Amino acid sequence: MARNDASPPSDFIRVIVDEDLRTHRHQGRVATRFPPEPNGYPHIGHAKSICLNFGIAAQYGGTCNLRMDDTDPSGESMEYVESIIRDVKWLGFDWQDRLYYASDYYEKLYQYAMRLIRVGKAYVCDLSADEIREYRGTLTEPGRESPYRNRSSEENLALFERMRAGEFEDGARVLRAKIDMTSPNITMRDPVMYRIKKENHYRTGEKWCIYPMYDFAHCLSDSIEGITHSICTLEFENNRPLYDWFLKELNVEPRPQQIEFARLNLSFTVLSKRKLIELVEKGVVSGWDDPQMPTLSGMRRRGYSPEAIRNFCERIGVSKNDSLIDMALLENCVREDLNERAQRVLAVLRPLRVVIDNYPEGEVEEFDCPYHPKNPEMGSRKVPFSRVLYIEQEDFLENPPKKFFRLAMGREVRLRYGYFIRCVGVVKNANRGEVSEVHCTYDPETRSGFAPDGRKVDATIHWVSAAHSVPAEVRLYDRLFRIADSLGEGPDFMEYLNKKSLETLGSCRVEPSLSHAAPGDRFQFERLGYFCVDSADDKDKVLIFNRTVTLRDAWARIAEKGDDR
RNA sequence: UGGGGCGUCGUCAAGCGGUAAGACACAGGAAUUUGGAUCCUGCAUUCGGAGGUUCGAAUCCUCCCGCCCCAGCCA
């Protein structure tokens, strides 16, 4: 059946939830959680998970917790926690008072571990990391049991307490679950539950020197919070038996169920934390919030709206297929949103001086220009017009190809919201021969863009008054990578960086109304694209605009198709 | 060649035994004071492949092929 915008999205996870509700599993409750590890900034891939988890909770009248999955002190920090909180909020979701930290469960988890030891399901192992790997076997060969596997629970208890007390060095011992070294699922071959790390934790400080592993901590954290549907990505599918094992052996209630979906892949960018960190650390980008980054903070600074991102997350769907979403879909979502709400303004990125020969020197008039062509309620502003203007360099061509219908020698075009002008001459740069100035005449009868004699014009171009416009810097962003996919593993992916992903234009001129624009404000520069006032750099109060996305450009496509002169 | 998962249009994705939704992309056209937005139109006789069951299969069965994940004291 066709789905209209009003009907909520349906996917295999919601089908499961529907069924669980129908059969009254989980006492009819729906409780999800978004559990990031605070060791990086959230990106568009996290947005997919955030929208899924919070979306399902909202749809079924349940709850969604925000939980920092902070079980490994190395790499985690408050800066990341803050970025996560800021970004989830910005996306428009509310966890109310349910902000939790796995690190708050350390004591409970420790008690659970002791219980497992007491019932003979966990043991302290003295093997080194290398030895454990060796004993683990391979994909095709079973593993071997550790020589420490059969210690008495008294001995294990004592040893584990001493681990906690800090009596052993990092890596000297670990606590392992006693499951099955011959399991075809490697995850079940006596997985490590606790390791010793004498590191300062950003929240618990020096209190602990043993830290629980993900598999042990996650299922129990879910249970502690009463989570019903623990949604995670596909790579954890192998871990599900272990997730269930801990819950079963500890006999805890309630028992959350883990459901896996495919993580987001987006063309022309990377979404792995490791690669994003590398981009930041190697200075390829200016930081986590660089507008080129697929991070939520970068996209926000670039001008993406939360609505556009949420819509994108809904449109891509949820499944178990490995997929690569076309960046064009994301771009379509921003355009769709910004087309509705962005004010239209005039800005010239690469100025070309135009002198209107027959316009009186010193005279200035103002045109009343609507902020939106379809929404009059968005109001209008006055835009000054005078004898000397700037137009876009690419809107004038000395030798225009067949389908180019902007300004050229002898041609007449319309200045948006203004007069018709006809090109009557050019001034060329003495040494290089480039056109440095264009001379035109205007038709006073065409004042608001209409000719009383009914004559038409092929093009409408944007402009600003030279004397009244204000200078601005504009940053043109393009895709971060040159190729859509197969960015490769290892350090190779850097070789596919798009060297032209950022072009900074320093001598742009924008209409005077923009001098009051505030950081984060979004506009459509007519005929060019959507732009957002930068919110991080403040170069001595010079206006800086980041290009969010271009407008669709039919001319660019025609021009690309080749020479049609 | 162990185990787990996945294969429906260029990219996503519905479909759950009754004869292939939708979106993006793409291609035409209408209209247009943004070569924008809008509006029409076209775009899988076929569902990784081969057999089989059935009146009828993308949906069930069998075999095969391809891709992804797992051998961190990361998550």
Side-chain angles (χ1 to χ4, degrees), chain A residues 214-490:
Chain A
Y214 166 85
D215 289 304
F216 180 65
H218 205 89
C219 54
L220 291 168
S221 300
D222 283 342
S223 176
I224 288 168
E225 294 178 18
I227 299 302
T228 56
H229 302 268
S230 178
I231 301 168
C232 63
T233 45
L234 244 31
E235 66 271 26
F236 292 103
E237 212 148 20
N238 295 320
N239 302 44
R240 186 167 13 128
L242 183 52
Y243 183 103
D244 294 336
W245 188 88
F246 282 123
L247 296 176
K248 176 173 161 285
E249 295 302 327
L250 285 164
N251 207 251
V252 296
E253 293 296 340
R255 299 261 178 94
Q257 61 176 320
Q258 177 178 305
I259 303 169
E260 312 84 9
F261 71 99
R263 68 182 329 142
L264 171 68
N265 293 298
L266 236 201
S267 63
F268 299 103
T269 191
V270 290
L271 293 181
S272 91
K273 213 174 265 183
R274 199 210 98 228
K275 288 174 183 167
L276 292 174
I277 287 173
E278 203 173 325
L279 291 172
V280 172
E281 286 181 347
K282 292 203 170 149
V284 172
V285 294
S286 63
W288 285 100
D289 69 342
D290 186 304
Q292 298 171 92
M293 292 284 273
T295 51
L296 296 178
S297 49
M299 293 173 72
R300 172 169 57 236
R301 194 173 155 194
R302 171 99 169 237
Y304 276 81
S305 62
E307 290 83 357
I309 293 175
R310 276 192 258 122
N311 186 237
F312 170 76
C313 290
E314 191 168 303
R315 287 219 223 165
I316 57 178
V318 180
S319 77
K320 299 186 74 158
N321 302 337
D322 276 318
S323 61
L324 180 66
I325 306 288
D326 193 341
M327 178 67 92
L329 179 62
L330 216 207
E331 294 179 341
N332 175 74
C333 290
V334 228
R335 288 197 188 102
E336 200 174 280
D337 181 44
L338 265 22
N339 175 49
E340 292 296 316
R341 351 182 340 202
Q343 292 185 341
R344 270 61 171 172
V345 292
L346 301 178
V348 174
L349 268 30
R350 298 177 179 85
L352 173 62
R353 198 176 141 92
V354 171
V355 179
I356 313 292
D357 292 338
N358 60 341
Y359 195 83
E361 226 155 320
E363 177 151 342
V364 178
E365 26 180 346
E366 285 186 324
F367 299 141
D368 188 54
C369 308
Y371 273 125
H372 193 106
K374 296 284 196 311
N375 305 330
E377 64 280 13
M378 282 176 72
S380 64
R381 80 290 181 191
K382 302 276 190 234
V383 178
F385 179 84
S386 64
R387 188 168 191 265
V388 182
L389 314 170
Y390 289 120
I391 64 167
E392 208 66 62
Q393 278 169 27
E394 61 177 24
D395 284 340
F396 174 84
L397 238 38
E398 244 192 310
N399 305 302
K402 212 188 299 170
K403 288 179 183 163
F404 180 90
F405 40 81
R406 277 111 96 148
L407 200 59
M409 196 58 192
R411 281 226 209 136
E412 188 173 50
V413 299
R414 171 169 41 232
L415 292 177
R416 173 118 246 224
Y417 307 123
Y419 297 105
F420 282 13
I421 58 169
R422 183 181 299 280
C423 175
V424 295
V426 300
V427 174
K428 289 194 183 178
N429 186 307
N431 27 2
R432 310 212 89 219
E434 297 159 342
V435 173
S436 60
E437 184 174 296
V438 174
H439 282 258
C440 295
T441 55
Y442 84 113
D443 177 353
E445 299 296 306
T446 58
R447 168 142 176 157
S448 50
F450 287 108
D453 62 7
R455 76 179 188 280
K456 302 280 189 206
V457 102
D458 282 335
T460 298
I461 65 174
H462 60 277
W463 54 276
V464 293
S465 165
H468 305 86
S469 61
V470 310
E473 175 178 315
V474 172
R475 296 170 182 174
L476 268 21
Y477 294 102
D478 197 357
R479 34 195 58 160
L480 231 199
F481 289 89
R482 297 193 315 267
I483 59 174
D485 194 14
S486 310
L487 292 171
E489 295 310 311

